[in-house]
Structures are given as C-alpha cells and as structure tokens.
Amino acid sequence: MKRLFGTDGMRGEAGRFPLDAATVRVAGRSLARQLTAQLAESVGRAPHIVTGRDTRESGEWIEHAFMSGAREAGAQVESAGVITTPGVAYLARTTRADAGVVISASHNPYQDNGIKIFAPSGRKLDDKTERLIEADIEASKGDDATAINPADVVEDEAEALRAAVLQKQYLNYLVEEIADKLWLEGLSLVVDCANGAASELAPALFERLGARVININSAPDGRNINLDCGSLHIEGLQQKVEEERADLGVAFDGDADRALFVDARGQFVDGDATLWVMAQYLSERGRLDGDVVVATVMSNIGLELALRSKGLRLLRTDVGDKYVLEELLRTGAALGGEQSGHIIFPRLSLAGDGLMTTLSLLRAMRDGEAGLDDLTAGFTRYPQVLVNVRVREKQPFDEVETISRAARETENQLGAKGRLLLRYSGTEPLARVMIEGEQQDLIEQHANDLASVIKTALG
C-alpha cells in the first residue's frame, strides 16, 4: 500500500515531511534511479526529466531540491519554470523526456505544495515506481545531510531562458494545433487565473486568437494563489462577466488542469454542464466514440438523464481523474471528466487541461453560432443533499443488513429520476450519504432517515 502518493501525487505542507527539502531531494534521486534501471534494459542512456511549477512561494526551492536529487543520480533535468500541469505533461511527451514532474498543490492554499509525476504518455506515474520512491524515502528518514536551504536557491539565467523557450513551445501548440482555424475576434472573455500557473499563459493564448481579454487574479505574489478566486470561488467571475457584458468567463485552478465557466447571463457552468455541451458537439459530428461519456460517481444525475435523452450513455468511475482516464482508455471513449471541471479529451491529451477545455468549448460556441447559455439547454441540475455520519468502523454497507435494506428501499422510492450514493470518507471516520432527486424536501428526508440507520448500526 502507498502512504505518500495519492491519486494526485504527493501533497502536504511545504517545508514539512514529505515536502521538506531533504525528502524532496531523495524523491528526485529515487525517480532518476528507477528511470535509469528501466532505460538500462532498452536504450542504456541517462534519463531525461522535465519539471515545472505553479506560483507558490515554496515552488522554486522544492523544484530545485527535486532537480538536484535527480541530477545526483545522473539524470538530465530541465525546468519549464512556471507552467501549468498539463503543460509539463505535453513537454514530457514532445521533448521525449522519460518523465515530467510538476511542483503544485492544485487548488490547495499556498502553504501546501505537492509533486506530480507523469510518464511521457501524459499518464501519471505507475504505482510500482511510486512504491519504490516511497521505500527510498522511508529508508532515508533522519538523514538531513542532503538538505537544501530554500534561502540559498537562486534561479540560473540559462535555466530561465530555457524555461521561456519551453513555455512558448506549449503556447504555440495550443494556438497552432488545438486552436487550429479557431478565431475569436468579436468575443470578450473574462479570465480568472487564480493567481496561479495560467496567469501569463491564458491571457496570451486568448489574445493571440483575437479575443478581447479581461484578466482578473493574474498577479501572483507567492501567497495569493487560489485565495478567494479561481475555480473554487466563482462569484467574482460571475460579477465581472456581468459588469463587462462579456460573452464568457473562465476560472482556472492553481495549476490550470481544470476550468469552470460562466455564461453571458452570469450563470455558473460546471464540469457536468461542460461534458453535456461537448458530448452533443462531438456526437453531432460522429466523434463521440461508442456514444459514451465517462464521469465519476459525483456527477449529477441531471447529466445522466440529459445524455440519455440524446441516446448517449454515462459511465461512472470512482472519484479522481486517474480513474476517469483509466475508463476512457479501457472503453476507447472520446470524452470524460469530473464535476470539478477536470475534462479529458484522450484524442488530444491524456492529461486534463483547462486551457484545452476552454478552447474546445469556444470552438463549440463558434461552430454552433450560439452562446454558452444556449448550448447548455437541456441539462437540468437536480437537487442534491449530502449528510455525513461519524462511524466507529468502516464496515461495507452491504454487509450490514439494516443499512443495505434501507438503501434498497430508498433507491426504490427515488426511482429512475433519483440517485443514492453511499461511501466512506478516505481521510475521516465518516460515512457519506448523498442523494439526488427532483424534490429538495423529499431527498433531505430520505438522507436523514438513512443517516439515522447508519448511526444506529455503526455510529
């Protein structure tokens, strides 16, 4: 079992284990050694690693520590500087690197940071290699001889120049390939960069395509990333879109692997609604392979019903883009994502990319000669209620007769236009009861009744 790597890499408070400089250095050294061993079986050369980071004040020294460790083990390492997570995934593929490494904690506050490692394909690092890195970290505990003083880290001028080249390479890819023949003249966009990795890239991208761009939260200072802005705080974007009478608003998170939207009327458009728009767009052009969309168990039942009305199916996975991607690859589907705005177009990239998602949505608007409010018509979000119950043990629900019986009765009463999801928290001793249905008061009653049964049995 892995202890340090989760579904989205290794994450924690910057400066504390495992995000202290000594441990990060060990992680870099370990990755380089694992890659060297893998390459020795085929090409017999030193591994090549490309890195990047978001705008947190800890990002530069953590990246430096990782790079130093990897270089000690013989790897060739180059940094793309401040760049989005999918930007690093793209560079890992196109520079023929053996791994891409992102220093970011995504939507977390600035005090946190993390390490995400990508294979050249754009998929996250395999479990086996992550376990080997964890084993090296465990073996090195207490050894601080390799520690780095963050205050001593100074950016090298040659590295900065190379980073600028890599950033431009990614931007050109988005403009020339993903946005091929897409011209945005006459459209006005409000872009909330969350004071994160997209702060320079996103405005430059949309301006090059001819849009009028109004930037907000694009002045990172190391501590304001995700602070009351971006995809976690959509209210400011809604207000700005209405003030500017803009055609579209987009909000990224700290590393810009996800995007959420606001239409011209100021209405919030989440990942489920984005999947609905893109599913129709691809289906009408014969490009929605298998007539299937992949989402997680957290996607609203309104998406499932809307897709069904068009003869399309929704396949659900566990929570996490990792599981969405696995299902996309297993089924050969062309579209998947999460309610949070993490959308994957596997024909374009195996990594969710907020900039790519925005371009795809803009293309749907342009080709359909319609606003986003028109394109989301037909999708109705059903009321949802979530009740948490503290439990003494996490026994499988279907092994507790009173809970399984109550759950079956609830599902029968909800019928085809309702949904029950029972799951345990991954980090707390909590059972979560989530119910969706047509009537708010009715689903609240169902949720509270079922929570009471769980509390009696396991609380």
Side-chain angles (χ1 to χ4, degrees), residues 3-5 10 17-18 23-24 26-27 30 130-142:
R3 292 193 315 108
L4 302 179
F5 283 91
M10 186 165 61
F17 180 86
T23 304
V24 170
V26 171
S30 179
E130 287 181 344
R131 284 194 293 270
L132 290 170
I133 293 173
E134 287 190 356
D136 284 344
I137 289 173
E138 184 65 29
S140 71
K141 273 188 179 178

Side-chain angles (χ1 to χ4, degrees), residues 252-303:
F252 301 106
D253 61 340
D255 66 338
D257 62 352
R258 66 181 72 178
L260 295 174
F261 302 94
V262 171
D263 68 22
R265 295 194 292 169
Q267 297 178 120
F268 175 49
V269 176
D270 69 359
D272 285 345
T274 302
L275 287 172
W276 165 240
V277 172
M278 295 312 306
Q280 292 180 97
Y281 179 80
L282 294 174
S283 178
E284 289 166 1
R285 287 156 181 78
R287 288 157 43 197
L288 190 68
D289 298 345
D291 291 334
V292 164
V293 175
V294 178
T296 76
V297 293
M298 296 307 294
S299 279
N300 193 274
I301 191 174
L303 173 61

Side-chain angles (χ1 to χ4, degrees), residues 385-397 400 403 420-435 447-448 450-459:
V385 62
L386 176 65
V387 178
N388 292 321
V389 184
R390 187 164 292 276
V391 295
R392 63 179 181 274
E393 60 176 324
K394 295 181 179 180
Q395 188 175 349
F397 296 116
V400 183
I403 296 175
L420 165 66
L421 175 64
L422 288 181
R423 58 190 289 261
Y424 288 111
S425 166
T427 57
E428 301 176 90
L430 296 175
R432 304 197 192 279
V433 182
M434 191 277 283
I435 297 183
N448 289 328
L450 188 48
S452 180
V453 173
I454 294 173
K455 183 176 181 180
T456 299
L458 300 175

Side-chain angles (χ1 to χ4, degrees), residues 24 28 31 35 48-54 59-60 62-71 75-85 87-92 95 97-104 114-118 155 159 162-164 166-167:
V24 170
L31 174 64
L35 294 175
H48 171 212
I49 300 171
V50 61
T51 67
R53 63 184 188 273
D54 67 22
E60 193 170 353
I62 290 177
E63 184 184 33
H64 183 82
F66 194 96
M67 293 171 69
S68 296
R71 284 169 175 160
Q76 175 197 351
V77 191
E78 56 182 349
S79 170
V82 174
I83 193 171
T84 67
T85 287
V88 172
Y90 163 78
L91 291 169
T95 63
D98 301 293
V101 178
V102 183
I103 310 302
S104 172
I115 299 173
K116 296 188 232 187
I117 307 175
F118 291 91
E155 187 174 33
E159 285 188 349
R162 177 57 178 160
L166 292 173
Q167 291 163 16

